[in-house]
Amino acid sequence: MQEIRIEKAKTLKQKPDFSKLGFGKYFTDHMFMMDYSDDKGWYDARIVPFGYIPIHPASTVLHYGAEIFEGMKAYKTADGYQMFRPWENVKRMNDSAERLCLPTLDIDFTIKALETLITMEYEWIPDLPGTSLYIRPFMFGNDESLGVHAVHNATFVIILSPVGSYYAEGLNPVKITIENEDVRAVRGGTGYAKCGGNYAASLRAGKKAADKGFSQVLWLDGVERKYIEEVGAMNVMFKINGEIATPKLTGSVLPGITRKSCIEILREWGYTVNERLISVDELLGAAENGTLEEAWGTGTAAVVSPIGHLVYEDIDHVVSENKIGDLTQRLYDELTGIQWGLRPDTRGWCYKVKV
Ligand SMILES: *Cc1c(COP(=O)(O)O)cnc(C)c1O
């Protein structure tokens, strides 16, 4: 395995007030980087002081958007910290890399890079309830020429950010608007890859929604604008008449690790979970006739986030009296309990590090 060269920062930053973190505003003292070229493979793995990355003006990422990323978290425990299913994130990053013709990562080496960096930045892992150290690995194509082709050079970086709750609402229900003009992804496109381009395509609808006071957009499929796909940075689940329904992974939906974990937990609890097509008509029909019992989003950043309002074509459908539902709460407690090391990790999901 490659060695990781370490260059320590000469001065360390003042840590922020851990009770006022918000999301993604503060960054730790160091970052991990390595470079790739077709002849050398991945080389020069290093941890260096957090700072600007010089980039060639013709770099592929600046023109053609060759960029993928991951989002994961480290949680402080009694004797160190733990990451939640990090193997899944690295595997997904490789799936994203394959889709965008970027080089893939060695899973064990990437986990070692994560562990080395996070252990160095241990003091940055906040310990207040609801806080964690958000981990953002990302990779971009970095050829210094304007030709359009699969990249021959790339850079991989990991940065860390202590975070509080993703939404200003905390665990209170969010208000979501169903978007019927813009689409985020289409089948055959890059929807299942965690890539910057999907977000670029989503910003206009996101802005329109934010201007009207919504937290996020619920996307419909790109072809018929008929089936529910997902919310901005979360997958969605619904409890309809006792059944748990979540959109199936058709290629345009991001295969969330929180989604997968929730499905596994819910099935263990004896619920029927169906990954299937859910049309907007079915969903709003269920909201109107009272069979839509609960709705929530799942994602690393927001964990499990109750949905209190679904607005479509200016009609507001209130879900679960705009309160967090019992099952949503139970799922949130179970998942965060495992992630924070407060509940037993019976499924081998946590990667524990003693510090
Ligand atoms: C990251 C992401 C999710 C959630 O995935 P997790 O692995 O649960 O964090 C859902 N949708 C989109 C578009 C995402 O980028």
Side-chain angles (χ1 to χ4, degrees), residues 4-5 9 17 22 62-63 68 87 92 97 116 124 134 180 204-205 209 216 219 234 237 244 253 264 275 291:
I4 300 174
R5 174 168 67 81
D17 178 346
L62 299 180
H63 301 270
I68 57 175
W87 312 274
R92 184 172 65 193
T116 311
W124 282 91
Y134 186 77
N180 57 8
R204 184 170 69 177
Q216 284 208 18
W219 298 105
M234 300 191 295
M237 296 188 177
I244 313 298
V253 174
E264 289 173 42
E275 301 176 60
T291 50

Side-chain angles (χ1 to χ4, degrees), residues 92 184 194 199 230 232-235 254 256-258 298-300:
R92 184 172 65 193
R184 187 191 85 97
K194 212 167 169 76
Y199 279 81
E230 61 177 307
M234 300 191 295
N235 296 107
L254 199 285
I257 295 158
T258 320
T298 68
T300 298

Side-chain angles (χ1 to χ4, degrees), residues 15-22 26 28 73-77 80-82 118 121-135 160-165 340:
K15 303 216 174 26
D17 178 346
F18 285 165
S19 69
K20 298 195 183 79
L21 287 171
Y26 304 99
T28 69
K73 283 174 172 175
Y75 309 85
K76 197 153 207 166
T77 54
Y81 66 90
Q82 61 185 23
I118 297 166
E121 304 292 61
Y122 178 68
E123 299 295 326
W124 282 91
I125 309 177
D127 52 3
L128 297 175
T131 63
S132 57
L133 186 68
Y134 186 77
I135 306 165
L160 306 174
S161 172
V163 298
S165 121
W340 297 336

Side-chain angles (χ1 to χ4, degrees), residues 47 111 120 127 168 200 228 234 250 265-266 280:
I47 289 174
I111 302 275
M120 256 178 87
D127 52 3
I228 305 290
M234 300 191 295
T250 50
I265 292 172
L266 287 164
V280 68

Side-chain angles (χ1 to χ4, degrees), residues 173-226:
V174 293
K175 220 176 145 180
I176 297 232
T177 171
I178 303 177
E179 170 65 33
N180 57 8
E181 286 171 13
D182 289 357
V183 298
R184 187 191 85 97
V186 292
R187 276 170 227 177
T190 55
Y192 71 89
K194 212 167 169 76
C195 68
N198 292 340
Y199 279 81
S202 79
L203 295 177
R204 184 170 69 177
K207 180 176 185 300
K208 192 174 77 181
D211 289 346
K212 291 188 185 162
F214 295 99
S215 319
Q216 284 208 18
V217 167
L218 180 61
W219 298 105
L220 299 178
D221 76 278
V223 180
E224 298 179 74
R225 290 185 184 68
K226 177 172 170 195

Side-chain angles (χ1 to χ4, degrees), residues 169 172-178 213-218 231 238 283-284 287 292 295-296 305-312 315-323:
E169 293 92 331
N172 294 321
V174 293
K175 220 176 145 180
I176 297 232
T177 171
I178 303 177
F214 295 99
S215 319
Q216 284 208 18
V217 167
L218 180 61
V231 180
F238 307 101
L283 183 70
L284 299 180
L292 177 62
W296 64 91
S305 185
I307 297 172
H309 289 268
L310 280 168
V311 177
Y312 185 58
I315 302 173
D316 187 355
H317 305 263
V318 180
V319 186
S320 187
E321 297 169 344
N322 194 33
K323 292 199 213 80

Side-chain angles (χ1 to χ4, degrees), residues 36-62:
Y36 170 92
S37 73
D38 283 348
D39 351 320
K40 293 194 226 173
W42 286 110
Y43 66 96
D44 198 13
R46 58 203 186 272
I47 289 174
V48 292
F50 184 93
Y52 289 92
I53 302 173
I55 197 161
H56 192 280
S59 176
T60 330
V61 64
L62 299 180

